[in-house]
Amino acid sequence: MEQHPGITTDRLLLRPHNVGDLDEQFSLYRDPLVGEFIRGLPASREDAWHRLQRYAGHWSLLGYGMFAVFERGSGSMIGEVGLADFQRGLGADFDVSPEAAWLFAGKAQGLGYGREAMRALFNWFDTVRPEGRTVCIIDAGNSASIRLAACFNFQGYECAKYRGAIVTKYQRFKR
């Protein structure tokens, strides 16, 4: 499949990861505010490399995946957003739909970047994919992500245990 060329917003550039992103990506994962609610972040540079390869595989195999998010003004990587097939084993009601995911560096939180990036993501995805449903999981204590999900009409529908924590499964239907 052809690589996605990226999406530009007023303040952001969203594009598929490339090999040159490894150091910034690993630095992002080491940010304590990023890891507060996200389980399974790479603990080593090697693990970050494997995740970067997995992201490339999504684009190659599925035609969608995760985007690295860059602040246009500084050129710095400030986060990741996208849709993926993580095969989390959370049930047929969850695992069959593209899963939305997002994370942002502590310095980028609270500035509206999440909403801007996710709006751009869904504007693109909703026009190119026939699926009418996307899902995500959010830790009950992650109020910022719960608010962001609500902006895009995600509705919680069930709790599940994932990597030792209770999370809420959310779903969104394309309008």
Side-chain angles (χ1 to χ4, degrees):
M1 292 190 163
E2 189 173 316
Q3 182 77 354
H4 191 283
I7 302 169
T8 302
T9 70
D10 288 343
R11 301 182 297 163
L12 304 174
L13 168 65
L14 287 65
R15 65 156 174 76
H17 295 76
N18 65 48
V19 296
D21 294 334
L22 179 59
D23 290 332
E24 278 189 286
Q25 183 187 36
F26 184 52
S27 178
L28 179 66
Y29 297 156
R30 306 294 292 172
D31 183 327
L33 291 176
V34 170
E36 185 175 1
F37 295 109
I38 299 175
R39 285 150 188 80
L41 282 176
S44 69
R45 194 169 190 281
E46 177 186 18
D47 292 341
W49 175 243
H50 292 158
R51 181 176 278 215
L52 192 143
Q53 291 173 325
R54 184 173 58 228
Y55 287 172
H58 271 86
W59 286 103
S60 177
L61 296 172
L62 302 173
Y64 62 89
M66 296 299 292
F67 288 98
V69 179
F70 295 88
E71 188 179 51
R72 289 180 60 194
S74 69
S76 296
M77 182 188 289
I78 59 167
E80 298 177 336
V81 300
L83 290 129
D85 181 352
F86 292 126
Q87 292 294 311
R88 294 190 192 274
L90 292 175
D93 66 315
F94 188 88
D95 291 334
V96 298
S97 298
E99 181 182 345
W102 56 86
L103 61 83
F104 285 88
K107 68 180 182 180
Q109 294 178 11
L111 301 174
Y113 289 136
R115 184 179 295 188
E116 186 174 336
M118 293 303 289
R119 182 178 301 115
L121 170 71
F122 284 127
N123 285 345
W124 164 73
F125 193 74
D126 287 349
T127 62
V128 300
R129 299 295 295 189
E131 291 91 2
R133 179 178 184 258
T134 51
V135 296
C136 68
I137 56 172
I138 303 175
D139 186 292
N142 191 343
S143 59
S145 281
I146 292 169
R147 285 191 307 273
L148 181 59
C151 290
F152 296 97
N153 299 311
F154 278 96
Q155 300 290 318
Y157 69 94
E158 185 176 84
C159 290
K161 191 168 187 176
Y162 180 69
R163 293 190 175 180
I166 300 299
V167 297
T168 302
K169 297 193 286 188
Y170 288 80
Q171 61 186 349
R172 170 191 175 269
F173 293 93
K174 184 164 84 170
R175 292 184 190 189

